[in-house]
Amino acid sequence: MDLAFLHPLYEHQGPWASVYVGTPPRTEDAPHERHLAAVAVARELSRQGADEDTCVAVREALEELRHSSEPHGRAVFARAGEVVLEPPLTRSPEADVIRWGTLPHTAPLLELAGEDPVCVVAYVDRKGADFELRGALGREDAGSVTGKQWPVHRTSTADWSERHFQLRVENTWEHNAAEIADALAVCQEETGADLLILVGDEREKRSVHDRLPKRLHDLVVEAEHGAGSRLLDEDVERALSGQVRQRAERELERFLAARAPGEDGRPGAVEGVPALVEAAREHRIDELLIRPDGPDAHRTVWIGEDPDQLAVRRTELKILGEQNSWSARADDALIRSAVATGAPALSVTPADGTSAGDAPVGGLGALLRWA
C-alpha cells in the first residue's frame, strides 16, 4: 500500500482522534441511527481524553455519512478541533474503531482501505468485446472494441467446397482475438488495473488470453460464466480479493527468503520491534509488513517529534538527544516512519498450512534497503 496520502497526518503534532465506521444500511431509521452512533463515538473519544472541539468535529463528520454513497464506510482522523483526513474504506470494519492517542491509528487502513484494487472485465465474443472497470467503489464503462463482423460462424457441412469458408471463419476469429487483446492491454495500461477478467466462451477467452503481452498473463482470470453473462459484484470482489491475497503471499515469501544473510553477510529483512526501530532510525525500511493479529503491533515504543526519532525505551531517546518523548503503538510509529521515507506497507496473513507460520515474528517485519 502506497502511504503517500497519509502525509497530512504527520504535519502536525497530536494527540489524534482516529475513528473507523461502516456505512449505515439504507433504511428509514438510518439517519437517526447514524446520529446516535456519531454521538456515541464522540462520547467515547471524550471518555478517552479528547478535547471537546475535536469530539464535535468527529461527530459532525460521521453524521455526514447519512448522505454518503460510499459502500463500506470511512475513516476519520482529527486533531485540535479539525478533521484532517477522511479516506473511504474498501472493506467494512467488523466493529467501529475509536481511539485517542499520540499518533493517528493508521494500521487498520492496511486491511480496511488497502490497495483499493480495480479490474477490467472484458465481455468477449466472436465479434469484439465490451470493457467494464470495476472496483470496490463501483463500476463504469471502459470502452469496447469491434472486430470483423463476417464471417464468424462455421457451417455444419463437411463438403470440400466449404473448407475455404471455414478457413476464413478461423482467420476472422484469430484477427478479432488479436484486436481484443491489443485493446485490453491498452485499457489496462491506461487504468492501472490490477486484474483482467475475461468473460465469454472458453475458446474465445483462451484466444484472447494467449495474445495478451506476457507481462499481463499473471493478472488474467478467466471467469466461469459463459457468453452473455454479466459478473455480479460478489464475483468481482472474490477475484480482486484473491489477487490481493496472492500479492501479499508473494511479498511474504520474498520476506522469508530475505531473512537469511546475503553474500555481504547482512540480512535483507528483519522482524521484531527492536530491529525494526533501529532500521527506522537509519531510514532502511524498504517495505513494512504487518500481520494484524501479531502481538507486537500494539507494543509500546517511544517517539520524538520527528518520524525517525523512536526507541524501545524512553531513555534511549534522551541518549540520542531528544528532549521530548511520548509513548505510541509500535505499528503506528513504524507507519509514520515509513510515510516519511516513502516506504510502502502491506498487511500479510499467512494462509493456513503454509510454512510461513506466524511470520513475521511478533507480527511486524520489514524488507530492508541498504544505501
Side-chain angles (χ1 to χ4, degrees):
M1 182 179 187
D2 186 345
L3 303 176
F5 74 102
L6 295 179
H7 272 288
L9 299 182
Y10 304 111
E11 295 173 355
H12 309 282
Q13 294 294 326
W16 286 86
S18 306
V19 176
Y20 296 78
V21 295
T23 300
R26 294 184 178 278
T27 64
E28 291 184 1
D29 295 333
H32 179 62
E33 291 174 356
R34 176 47 59 191
H35 168 73
L36 294 179
V39 169
V41 169
R43 185 182 300 117
E44 173 59 21
L45 286 173
S46 177
R47 188 193 69 79
Q48 294 183 28
D51 60 277
E52 183 178 355
D53 289 344
T54 299
C55 292
V56 170
V58 171
R59 188 196 71 216
E60 292 177 348
L62 295 181
E63 289 183 337
E64 284 298 312
L65 278 177
R66 290 179 296 176
H67 314 293
S68 173
S69 60
E70 296 163 358
H72 299 292
R74 188 183 298 175
V76 178
F77 300 97
R79 60 168 294 280
E82 178 185 5
V83 173
V84 178
L85 195 65
E86 296 180 82
L89 303 180
T90 57
R91 286 179 54 190
S92 300
E94 294 183 1
D96 290 352
V97 178
I98 308 166
R99 190 176 300 276
W100 175 253
T102 304
L103 291 177
H105 184 40
T106 52
L109 287 174
L110 302 185
E111 285 279 297
L112 302 178
E115 295 304 322
D116 188 15
V118 297
C119 74
V120 172
V121 181
Y123 298 100
V124 178
D125 60 32
R126 298 174 182 177
K127 297 181 179 181
D130 294 324
F131 301 150
E132 186 179 55
L133 191 65
R134 302 277 287 269
L137 301 181
R139 67 178 75 187
E140 61 182 272
D141 180 76
S144 62
V145 57
T146 302
K148 291 182 178 181
Q149 301 299 292
W150 188 88
V152 294
H153 297 288
R154 292 178 173 180
T155 61
S156 58
T157 178
D159 188 85
W160 68 268
S161 63
E162 296 295 328
R163 292 177 184 171
H164 179 65
F165 182 79
Q166 303 284 24
L167 180 60
R168 292 179 63 189
V169 170
E170 293 289 339
N171 290 340
T172 299
W173 285 5
E174 300 301 322
H175 174 273
N176 289 353
E179 285 205 354
I180 293 169
D182 289 344
L184 186 55
V186 172
C187 185
Q188 186 279 332
E189 186 173 355
E190 291 178 347
T191 61
D194 304 278
L195 189 66
L196 304 175
I197 303 179
L198 301 179
V199 183
D201 286 341
E202 289 301 321
R203 176 171 178 175
E204 294 157 4
K205 291 186 295 186
R206 177 50 48 184
S207 294
V208 172
H209 193 164
D210 290 345
R211 285 163 177 76
L212 285 167
K214 289 185 178 180
R215 64 180 177 82
L216 298 180
H217 282 188
D218 289 342
L219 304 184
V220 179
V221 171
E222 295 184 21
E224 297 179 359
H225 304 282
S229 299
R230 277 297 188 262
L231 288 190
L232 300 175
D233 290 340
E234 293 82 358
D235 298 322
V236 174
E237 185 173 348
R238 190 180 306 111
L240 288 171
S241 297
Q243 184 73 0
V244 170
R245 184 172 58 255
Q246 290 175 17
R247 182 184 305 170
E249 289 172 355
R250 287 195 297 269
E251 288 302 291
L252 184 55
E253 290 175 1
R254 192 161 74 95
F255 168 81
L256 293 172
R259 290 189 301 183
E263 294 180 357
D264 58 0
R266 298 184 297 185
V270 294
E271 56 197 339
V273 172
L276 286 164
V277 164
E278 181 181 356
R281 283 203 300 253
E282 298 175 358
H283 299 185
R284 287 192 287 110
I285 293 179
D286 193 49
E287 183 177 40
L288 183 63
L289 277 64
I290 296 179
R291 182 163 51 84
D293 62 349
D296 281 352
H298 50 76
R299 180 174 167 178
T300 298
V301 298
W302 293 89
I303 63 169
E305 295 182 0
D306 296 328
D308 59 357
Q309 295 172 334
L310 67 165
V312 175
R313 299 177 181 82
R314 192 173 193 174
T315 53
E316 292 180 40
L317 283 181
K318 292 184 178 180
I319 294 173
L320 294 171
E322 177 59 33
Q323 299 302 313
N324 299 315
S325 59
W326 302 268
S327 62
R329 286 174 58 112
D331 52 1
D332 292 330
L334 289 167
I335 288 176
R336 181 179 74 149
S337 178
V339 171
T341 58
L346 185 67
S347 173
V348 292
T349 304
D352 292 339
T354 65
S355 59
D358 61 352
V361 173
L364 298 176
L367 289 156
L368 301 179
R369 59 169 73 117
W370 295 100

